[in-house]
Amino acid sequence: MATLKTLKSWFYPVTPLTVVTPFSVVIAIYSIYLGFTLESPAIIYPIIVVPITAFIVGLYVLDRILIKKLFSYYILIIAELVLLAGGYLQINYANNTTHIHITTDEDYIFVLFDAHENSMDRFKKKGFFSKELLINGNIIHLDSSLRYRYDIRVFPPDSWMNSYEERGNYFYEGDTIPYIYKLRSRQANEYARTQQTYIDSLLTLALQK
């Protein structure tokens, strides 16, 4: 009976953190599973999620202490809602992304940073802080200032199961043009098409169009 009463005290009265904490623990367990079963980049999931979950669990312990000794129930709920909303916005801001989603029948893509315009005007807002650009074609021209935006992610068509990516600079008619080259993987001539001489020939054709 005493054990049941103790367990009840950890879940009642219900606050926002009572709902969020178990949910975050489940997400953390799943992220650990992904991190150790998928390819190496997936290890980033538990690295990000586990510390956040640990912080939320710590807040929940504080929540249980405060609700019994110091705070009124309604004040604590309002404080937690404000805290959770602020945390959600902070996480979204810290993880904002700039995505380029591409539709093309070609098996390679170039993003060339050679345009003389504010290309960010072409991006549409996605969520609170992220932006995305939908492109139909395999050659994309963005202004040169975006070469320093490491949050830009280029997503090839969904039919591409895997892709090869290279970032570099191409010297063309006295100018240095940064570029991102993506090639659809698992092709018979894939190795030849990842060589610099071949990439340079494609770049020359792309810049002449």
Side-chain angles (χ1 to χ4, degrees):
M1 194 69 178
T3 302
L4 182 61
K5 186 176 180 180
T6 301
L7 288 174
K8 184 179 178 180
S9 70
W10 278 100
F11 295 99
Y12 184 84
V14 175
T15 64
L17 278 173
T18 310
V19 178
V20 172
T21 303
F23 185 65
S24 66
V25 170
V26 171
I27 293 177
I29 293 172
Y30 183 61
S31 72
I32 293 171
Y33 169 77
L34 292 178
F36 287 98
T37 57
L38 298 181
E39 296 181 0
S40 57
I43 195 65
I44 192 68
Y45 297 140
I47 290 175
I48 293 175
V49 174
V50 170
I52 294 174
T53 299
F55 178 69
I56 292 174
V57 170
L59 288 178
Y60 188 59
V61 173
L62 183 62
D63 164 277
R64 295 295 95 184
I65 294 172
L66 292 177
I67 206 167
K68 294 174 184 177
K69 296 185 178 181
L70 299 176
F71 275 77
S72 75
Y73 179 63
Y74 295 107
I75 292 177
L76 187 60
I77 285 181
I78 293 172
E80 288 185 6
L81 287 174
V82 171
L83 181 65
L84 290 172
Y88 177 76
L89 290 174
Q90 179 62 33
I91 292 172
N92 272 270
Y93 179 75
N95 295 282
N96 72 86
T97 54
T98 305
H99 288 178
I100 301 175
H101 294 274
I102 297 171
T103 302
T104 180
D105 293 329
E106 299 288 344
D107 56 9
Y108 72 94
I109 294 166
F110 273 119
V111 179
L112 305 172
F113 299 94
D114 64 339
H116 301 288
E117 61 178 9
N118 182 10
S119 299
M120 289 305 297
D121 290 341
R122 299 163 56 192
F123 286 76
K124 294 183 179 180
K125 189 175 180 180
K126 181 182 180 181
F128 288 102
F129 304 106
S130 297
K131 292 187 176 182
E132 68 175 356
L133 176 64
L134 307 179
I135 294 290
N136 186 10
N138 69 319
I139 308 295
I140 304 97
H141 296 270
L142 301 177
D143 68 84
S144 57
S145 66
L146 295 182
R147 75 178 75 178
Y148 304 111
R149 292 285 298 266
Y150 291 101
D151 62 324
I152 291 180
R153 300 289 183 269
V154 181
F155 291 89
D158 293 336
S159 59
W160 292 25
M161 298 301 295
N162 292 286
S163 64
Y164 164 87
E165 178 176 310
E166 178 174 313
R167 296 176 182 242
N169 295 295
Y170 182 58
F171 301 97
Y172 181 75
E173 296 183 353
D175 291 330
T176 301
I177 301 175
Y179 67 85
I180 300 173
Y181 171 62
K182 294 187 79 74
L183 174 69
R184 186 173 185 173
S185 294
R186 297 182 180 177
Q187 301 180 85
N189 59 347
E190 180 180 347
Y191 176 75
R193 299 183 68 179
T194 61
Q195 301 307 296
Q196 193 61 50
T197 52
Y198 184 85
I199 296 173
D200 289 348
S201 67
L202 290 180
L203 282 165
T204 300
L205 291 174
L207 290 166
Q208 290 175 349
K209 292 182 179 180

